[in-house]
Amino acid sequence: MRDSSLKPSRDGFQWTEATGLVAGVPTLGLIQPSSHCNKGKIYDVLVIGGGYAGLTASRNLALADNQVLLLEARDRIGGRSWSSNIDGYPYEMGGTWVHWNQPFIWNELRRYDMTGQLEVSPRKNVEGGARVTVMMDGELLHISHDEEDEVIESAFKKFINVDGQFARSIIPYPHDIEFNMKGVLSCDKMSMADRMTQVASQLTPLEKNMFEGFLAITHGAKWDEASFFELLRWWALMNYNYADFMAIGLTYKLRCGQSALARHIFDEARGTGQVDYSFSTAVATVNDNGDLVEVTSRDGSTFRARRIVCTIPLNVLHTIKFVPTLPVLKTEASLIGHANQVVKCHAEVANPEMRSLGATNYPDGKLTYTFGDGTTPAGNTHLVAFGSSLPHVHLSPQTDVETTKKAFEAFHPGMRVKRLVFHNWHEDEFARGAWEWLRPGMTTKYLQALRERHGNVLFASSDSSYGWRGFIDGAIEDGGRVSRVVDQELKAAVHRHQFDVNSKL
Amino acid sequence: MRDSSLKPSRDGFQWTEATGLVAGVPTLGLIQPSSHCNKGKIYDVLVIGGGYAGLTASRNLALADNQVLLLEARDRIGGRSWSSNIDGYPYEMGGTWVHWNQPFIWNELRRYDMTGQLEVSPRKNVEGGARVTVMMDGELLHISHDEEDEVIESAFKKFINVDGQFARSIIPYPHDIEFNMKGVLSCDKMSMADRMTQVASQLTPLEKNMFEGFLAITHGAKWDEASFFELLRWWALMNYNYADFMAIGLTYKLRCGQSALARHIFDEARGTGQVDYSFSTAVATVNDNGDLVEVTSRDGSTFRARRIVCTIPLNVLHTIKFVPTLPVLKTEASLIGHANQVVKCHAEVANPEMRSLGATNYPDGKLTYTFGDGTTPAGNTHLVAFGSSLPHVHLSPQTDVETTKKAFEAFHPGMRVKRLVFHNWHEDEFARGAWEWLRPGMTTKYLQALRERHGNVLFASSDSSYGWRGFIDGAIEDGGRVSRVVDQELKAAVHRHQFDVNSKL
């Protein structure tokens, strides 16, 4: 998918020696022209947010013959899942991995005949140089990928096995969790730090160190601010075992990049002729007068619709003014926010021997978990790495490229970084964090409230979805769920109206 | 869901001491009145078959604003998946088990807010009497459920492990199989009997016997007529391990019964106002004149549409006359047919100690695999059993109730059979077999051809679907896939027509 004509979004950053740091990277997700709408029109539904939840809701509502307006603060679709496409090669800036056990994204991949786009992230399948680098207390240690699996699996099982059944008794139905269950309540109150205190004595020093580094790909938060229950939930969704955890959670990506899928949904929605849109339109206020809802953007433009599908991320919701004001639990949950502060950073390095790198650098590394993720068109190695905005290991590539390069170089004496590509989700005003990872107690206290409607405003988000919450699949599921509710009540309203008109005749 | 007003379908049989053998059992899937259509009308799409593939296609096409006519030979919806509802208790007559790793049925369960209907088939979770009965060479052997799992798992792994990777190298992507791969070709040529010859010496006599009995729930065919590849495919779909094979394939059923789900799809389709239907209308000929297709039923009625979605089961397809005639590969595949001759039979028995029965009776038992599946409203135990129409163990409950009762009684000296409920799929003229299990070589030779369209006739079926072929999930997937193709080309045709009209003005 080499497309040199792709224009940059404002989002993301790229650094090369030749260009230095440049804000904005090219993406299939950029929408131009940025606006196509009728400000005087009363739409059936106004969808706030063009991530997967909003795109799915827009498309489904349009297919069901509703007039839809999609508002998006960014200049692109995809929300927290998008790919920058550089010289025809996609770098996934957010949500990446997919699997056929994720029912809602699998439906989309089948819908657009894209299942053939699945590609195994090749870190283990490369000839030569296959190895894992562990940085621990300043020392470099090299082990094999098989040893890596053994160490992580052993630690993971001890960490998870709170019930002697590897969490099966706590989450028997990962797509329908009973929040009132005793085991759920107690595991949700527990932080990751609390759980580590319970099991630390059962872990070898290597197990503890590598596992803690590895978990950067899950919570990316301070250990005492991340709920232990959320890890149980991931584990249950991934079939309660380590091999599937890796296969489902961290193996298959789309050859064409996530933005190609988002584009398919957007294009189908637009193809109905029922969807208008306005990008670069950040919402400031949502005013529900009981009959119609008026949405005002930061620049003072107003838009009106009968229903709102609000997909604003949890950590951003409290920045929008709602009239009437949101219920206390919703606002409180948003103000507290989820705890994930991952910084995801790609590097293109001139080291073919790094293609099968797996690396952890914990507790003091700026990049806690890093691995080989492919070969770029220039023949270089693509590494993907997970850092954090947490204070003591704070990684901020856009303000300190040199430190970021050094974090990659730490894994290998001859590492030559040619390019960095990244999105700092924590400092993104429209995300304020990466994928959802709730703090201790939040799931059981707030989740149900987050799903509830507020008058004519309905909420859909991967942050509060049912099954794969925190994943692309959850966004698509929740966008679909809410679009059905909205469609049914709009159609019922039309029937009532027709009945009223007929009664009066 | 006690509903004493439910009327019987013509399908299925029930026996009790009081009534003797009665043809037809009550079901939510019965459609009355049986017809609501306009014979003079030219429909956009005529869907042949009201199983899950046809229901999904009808609903999706109707939601996309096409005029649909659904023809069904039976008096009920559901095809090879339906539940008879007796005194408010569902007996699943065909396809039963579902799981959240089946992406397309999971979407449907979420769509209709039915995920809470999941119920664990309780055979292992009952207090007291938990045991497995193995009948082998006329001897009765009792073991625990844990021992049963150990024995079956051990045998299964040896049987499957043709590549040293438990089939992962042969089917890395279970939803997108590459039929030209060497391993696929050679495993598809192999029969189950061939594979048993290869591994028999590695199995203990108990492993061999119990595993062979257990496999009645998979192929239900003569061992030399069932492709070994099909078992690899099931194994791959079920995450390449025995625990998940049982969890995904044989654990979760719907409390309300499958016909409740089918009914939701049918009712939504009808609710659009775009779907007409005619039940008890068996199709005799399909005549495609290139512009319109005329379908004639056995009673001589004719129906016309622009496109046909044909969901007729593989084993029945050759009984329909197509003009122009079908391609040789399609007809040949149908004449050969798949090999599954399972007879599924439920018993209500007055033995609470049988609630956790697990039992195999191989090679000479009429019921090779039987287990406890719940408690009926009368407080009796529900057993579900798998027999076969194969000659030497031929089970034919509708012609020989006594032999069928004796087959249950063989598992336990005091067994008291109060009721039998069954559907003999092999002798059902509209199915001619149970779920799909292809013969050696058929997957690689015929599957692609079965999926191909024939002029204005498109084919959708669980027999030839992509992912969960042979399962409910595959039917829903394929109905969805084909409905998108049909919808897109009908809409494109409208655009072309409008263009032509405008050109002439």
Side-chain angles (χ1 to χ4, degrees):
Chain A
M1 195 169 291
R2 173 173 283 269
D3 185 347
S4 56
S5 69
L6 282 181
K7 289 183 184 156
S9 162
R10 286 190 300 271
D11 279 358
F13 287 89
Q14 191 185 171
W15 171 91
T16 66
E17 218 151 70
T19 63
L21 186 69
V22 177
V25 288
T27 176
L28 283 166
L30 182 75
I31 302 301
Q32 288 190 316
S34 69
S35 173
H36 184 282
C37 69
N38 177 346
K39 285 184 185 166
K41 178 169 173 175
I42 295 172
Y43 290 88
D44 294 320
V45 189
L46 189 158
V47 176
I48 305 177
Y52 276 118
L55 290 175
T56 304
S58 298
R59 180 198 60 196
N60 292 6
L61 284 162
L63 287 170
D65 217 23
N66 298 286
Q67 301 276 317
V68 177
L69 174 64
L70 172 64
L71 296 187
E72 166 58 55
R74 308 177 190 278
D75 57 4
R76 61 166 183 83
I77 51 176
R80 282 173 280 174
S81 295
W82 71 293
S83 44
S84 66
N85 200 298
I86 297 173
D87 299 333
Y89 185 86
Y91 295 87
E92 293 291 356
M93 312 300 277
T96 302
W97 289 288
V98 299
H99 192 275
W100 48 91
N101 282 3
Q102 295 172 329
F104 299 93
I105 193 165
W106 194 256
N107 264 266
E108 299 298 328
L109 294 176
R110 188 61 84 196
R111 182 180 190 101
Y112 299 114
D113 205 11
M114 290 175 74
T115 60
Q117 292 290 333
L118 246 60
E119 178 176 58
V120 176
S121 194
R123 64 193 178 285
K124 282 193 189 178
N125 299 326
V126 181
E127 296 291 319
R131 65 168 185 178
V132 178
T133 300
V134 181
M135 293 198 69
M136 184 175 167
D137 304 327
E139 299 280 319
L140 266 179
L141 173 73
H142 297 300
I143 62 174
S144 71
H145 278 291
D146 286 348
E147 286 169 302
E148 175 193 29
D149 280 337
E150 271 170 41
V151 170
I152 304 273
E153 178 170 14
S154 171
F156 213 152
K157 285 165 77 172
K158 291 172 198 166
F159 199 78
I160 284 293
N161 200 11
V162 73
D163 60 347
Q165 297 179 53
F166 296 103
R168 281 184 192 270
S169 78
I170 294 168
I171 310 182
Y173 298 94
H175 285 252
D176 277 306
I177 296 165
E178 283 195 38
F179 297 118
N180 296 326
M181 266 177 58
K182 204 175 153 194
V184 174
L185 289 166
S186 67
C187 290
D188 188 36
K189 275 191 190 136
M190 214 184 290
S191 71
M192 296 287 284
D194 294 336
R195 179 60 184 162
M196 185 51 87
T197 302
Q198 289 181 345
V199 301
S201 68
Q202 301 169 40
L203 303 177
T204 67
L206 184 63
E207 281 179 357
K208 182 165 186 297
N209 182 276
M210 284 184 65
F211 183 60
E212 288 178 334
F214 167 83
L215 285 186
I217 58 156
T218 61
H219 63 86
K222 282 171 83 169
W223 278 67
D224 58 353
E225 293 183 353
S227 167
F228 171 57
F229 175 77
E230 294 281 50
L231 188 68
L232 291 184
R233 190 171 62 79
W234 280 37
W235 176 262
L237 284 164
M238 302 192 211
N239 294 334
Y240 311 90
N241 74 82
Y242 170 73
D244 284 344
F245 194 97
M246 297 303 284
I248 301 175
L250 205 66
T251 297
Y252 300 97
K253 52 181 189 168
L254 296 180
R255 198 172 285 119
C256 53
Q258 283 293 336
S259 289
L261 171 57
R263 190 81 216 197
H264 273 295
I265 304 176
F266 182 77
D267 289 347
E268 183 180 359
R270 285 281 296 154
T272 62
Q274 302 277 104
V275 178
D276 284 351
Y277 62 81
S278 184
F279 284 75
S280 299
T281 304
V283 166
T285 67
V286 176
N287 192 328
D288 181 357
N289 74 17
D291 188 22
L292 289 180
V293 190
E294 187 171 86
V295 171
T296 308
S297 66
R298 286 186 192 168
D299 68 5
S301 299
T302 59
F303 309 89
R304 286 181 301 168
R306 290 181 180 81
R307 295 290 183 283
I308 306 293
V309 175
C310 174
T311 74
I312 295 169
L314 170 64
N315 287 8
V316 179
L317 189 63
H318 68 89
T319 69
I320 313 295
K321 185 183 173 194
F322 282 84
V323 181
T325 53
L326 289 177
V328 169
L329 282 177
K330 268 194 209 281
T331 306
E332 205 173 274
S334 175
L335 283 165
I336 298 169
H338 75 73
N340 186 344
Q341 301 188 29
V342 156
V343 178
K344 192 175 175 187
C345 186
H346 300 275
E348 184 176 6
V349 300
N351 303 73
E353 73 277 18
M354 291 291 99
R355 272 179 205 157
S356 63
L357 177 70
T360 54
N361 188 356
Y362 191 87
D364 298 319
K366 298 277 184 187
L367 297 172
T368 56
Y369 190 59
T370 301
F371 56 88
D373 201 25
T375 302
T376 70
N380 292 318
T381 295
H382 168 204
L383 299 178
V384 60
F386 295 81
S388 165
S389 296
L390 299 178
H392 106 281
V393 289
H394 192 76
L395 184 77
S396 179
Q398 76 274 32
T399 56
D400 190 350
V401 163
E402 281 312 307
T403 300
T404 308
K405 283 173 63 188
K406 282 201 183 101
F408 282 100
E409 288 160 6
F411 292 118
H412 184 59
M415 191 83 87
R416 284 178 47 216
V417 177
K418 313 262 289 184
R419 187 194 305 270
L420 296 173
V421 186
F422 56 88
H423 190 136
N424 192 331
W425 292 104
H426 186 58
E427 302 194 6
D428 177 328
E429 66 169 326
F430 302 123
R432 297 189 174 210
W435 63 91
E436 162 279 324
W437 194 285
L438 294 182
R439 294 167 198 262
M442 286 187 76
T443 293
T444 42
K445 182 166 183 188
Y446 296 112
L447 193 58
Q448 298 286 21
L450 286 172
R451 292 170 180 165
E452 273 164 28
R453 68 186 297 161
H454 181 54
N456 291 309
V457 183
L458 292 93
F459 298 84
S461 171
S462 65
D463 294 338
S464 50
S465 69
Y466 284 80
W468 286 88
R469 181 155 55 87
F471 291 78
I472 296 166
D473 194 73
I476 296 170
E477 172 174 15
D478 224 36
R481 177 182 68 83
V482 169
S483 67
R484 283 190 296 276
V485 175
V486 169
D487 179 51
Q488 282 167 13
E489 70 183 38
L490 286 175
K491 290 206 164 58
V494 169
H495 282 294
R496 270 200 311 278
H497 176 69
Q498 287 171 342
F499 179 79
D500 290 347
V501 170
N502 289 337
S503 306
K504 282 176 194 154
L505 292 177
Chain B
M1 193 168 293
R2 175 174 280 270
D3 186 348
S4 58
S5 68
L6 281 182
K7 289 185 183 154
S9 161
R10 287 189 301 271
D11 279 357
F13 286 89
Q14 188 184 174
W15 172 92
T16 64
E17 219 150 68
T19 63
L21 186 70
V22 177
V25 288
T27 176
L28 283 167
L30 182 75
I31 302 300
Q32 286 190 318
S34 70
S35 172
H36 184 281
C37 70
N38 177 345
K39 284 185 186 167
K41 179 169 172 175
I42 296 172
Y43 289 90
D44 294 320
V45 189
L46 189 158
V47 176
I48 305 177
Y52 276 117
L55 289 176
T56 305
S58 297
R59 180 197 60 195
N60 292 7
L61 285 162
L63 288 171
D65 217 24
N66 298 285
Q67 300 277 317
V68 177
L69 174 64
L70 172 65
L71 296 187
E72 166 59 55
R74 310 177 189 277
D75 58 3
R76 61 166 183 84
I77 51 176
R80 282 172 280 174
S81 295
W82 70 294
S83 45
S84 66
N85 200 299
I86 298 173
D87 299 333
Y89 185 86
Y91 295 87
E92 293 292 356
M93 311 299 277
T96 303
W97 289 288
V98 299
H99 192 274
W100 48 89
N101 283 2
Q102 295 173 328
F104 299 93
I105 192 165
W106 194 256
N107 265 266
E108 298 298 328
L109 294 177
R110 187 60 86 197
R111 183 181 189 100
Y112 299 114
D113 203 12
M114 289 174 74
T115 59
Q117 292 289 332
L118 246 60
E119 179 178 57
V120 175
S121 194
R123 65 192 179 285
K124 281 191 188 180
N125 298 325
V126 181
E127 296 291 318
R131 66 169 186 180
V132 178
T133 300
V134 181
M135 292 199 67
M136 185 174 166
D137 304 327
E139 300 281 318
L140 265 179
L141 172 73
H142 297 299
I143 61 175
S144 72
H145 276 292
D146 287 347
E147 287 169 303
E148 175 193 30
D149 280 337
E150 271 170 43
V151 171
I152 304 272
E153 178 170 14
S154 171
F156 212 152
K157 285 164 79 172
K158 292 173 199 165
F159 199 78
I160 284 292
N161 201 10
V162 73
D163 61 346
Q165 295 179 55
F166 297 103
R168 281 184 192 269
S169 78
I170 293 167
I171 309 183
Y173 297 93
H175 284 254
D176 277 306
I177 295 166
E178 282 194 39
F179 297 119
N180 296 325
M181 266 178 57
K182 205 176 154 194
V184 173
L185 288 166
S186 66
C187 290
D188 188 36
K189 273 188 191 140
M190 214 184 289
S191 71
M192 296 288 284
D194 293 337
R195 180 58 185 164
M196 186 50 90
T197 302
Q198 290 180 346
V199 301
S201 67
Q202 300 170 42
L203 303 178
T204 68
L206 184 63
E207 281 179 356
K208 183 167 186 297
N209 182 276
M210 282 185 66
F211 183 61
E212 288 179 334
F214 167 83
L215 284 187
I217 58 154
T218 61
H219 63 86
K222 283 170 83 171
W223 277 67
D224 58 353
E225 292 183 354
S227 167
F228 171 57
F229 176 76
E230 294 281 50
L231 189 67
L232 291 184
R233 190 172 62 80
W234 279 36
W235 177 261
L237 284 164
M238 303 194 210
N239 294 333
Y240 312 91
N241 73 81
Y242 170 73
D244 284 344
F245 194 97
M246 297 303 285
I248 301 175
L250 205 67
T251 297
Y252 299 98
K253 53 180 188 167
L254 296 181
R255 197 173 285 118
C256 52
Q258 283 293 337
S259 288
L261 172 57
R263 190 84 217 195
H264 272 296
I265 304 177
F266 181 77
D267 289 347
E268 183 180 357
R270 285 281 296 153
T272 63
Q274 302 276 103
V275 177
D276 285 350
Y277 62 82
S278 184
F279 283 75
S280 299
T281 305
V283 166
T285 67
V286 176
N287 191 330
D288 182 358
N289 74 15
D291 188 21
L292 288 180
V293 190
E294 187 171 84
V295 172
T296 309
S297 66
R298 287 187 192 168
D299 68 5
S301 299
T302 59
F303 309 89
R304 287 181 298 168
R306 292 180 179 83
R307 294 290 183 285
I308 306 292
V309 174
C310 174
T311 74
I312 295 169
L314 171 64
N315 287 7
V316 179
L317 190 62
H318 68 89
T319 68
I320 314 294
K321 184 183 173 195
F322 282 83
V323 182
T325 53
L326 289 177
V328 169
L329 282 178
K330 269 193 209 281
T331 306
E332 205 173 275
S334 175
L335 283 164
I336 298 169
H338 75 73
N340 185 344
Q341 301 187 29
V342 157
V343 178
K344 192 175 175 187
C345 186
H346 300 274
E348 183 175 6
V349 300
N351 304 72
E353 73 277 20
M354 290 291 100
R355 270 177 207 159
S356 63
L357 177 71
T360 55
N361 188 354
Y362 192 87
D364 297 320
K366 298 277 185 187
L367 297 172
T368 55
Y369 190 59
T370 300
F371 55 88
D373 203 25
T375 301
T376 70
N380 292 318
T381 295
H382 167 203
L383 299 178
V384 59
F386 295 81
S388 165
S389 296
L390 297 178
H392 106 281
V393 288
H394 191 77
L395 183 78
S396 180
Q398 76 272 34
T399 56
D400 191 349
V401 162
E402 282 312 307
T403 301
T404 308
K405 283 171 64 188
K406 283 200 183 103
F408 282 99
E409 287 159 6
F411 291 117
H412 184 59
M415 189 84 86
R416 283 179 49 217
V417 177
K418 313 262 289 182
R419 187 194 304 271
L420 296 173
V421 186
F422 56 88
H423 189 134
N424 192 333
W425 292 104
H426 186 58
E427 303 195 5
D428 177 330
E429 66 170 325
F430 302 123
R432 296 191 175 210
W435 64 90
E436 162 279 324
W437 194 283
L438 294 181
R439 294 166 198 264
M442 286 187 76
T443 294
T444 43
K445 182 167 183 187
Y446 296 112
L447 193 58
Q448 298 285 21
L450 285 172
R451 293 170 180 166
E452 272 164 30
R453 68 187 296 160
H454 182 55
N456 290 310
V457 183
L458 292 93
F459 297 84
S461 172
S462 65
D463 295 339
S464 49
S465 69
Y466 284 79
W468 286 89
R469 181 155 54 86
F471 292 79
I472 297 167
D473 195 74
I476 296 170
E477 173 174 15
D478 224 35
R481 177 182 68 82
V482 169
S483 67
R484 283 189 296 277
V485 175
V486 169
D487 179 50
Q488 281 166 14
E489 71 182 38
L490 286 175
K491 289 206 165 58
V494 169
H495 282 294
R496 270 201 311 277
H497 176 70
Q498 286 171 342
F499 179 79
D500 289 348
V501 171
N502 290 339
S503 305
K504 281 177 194 154
L505 293 177

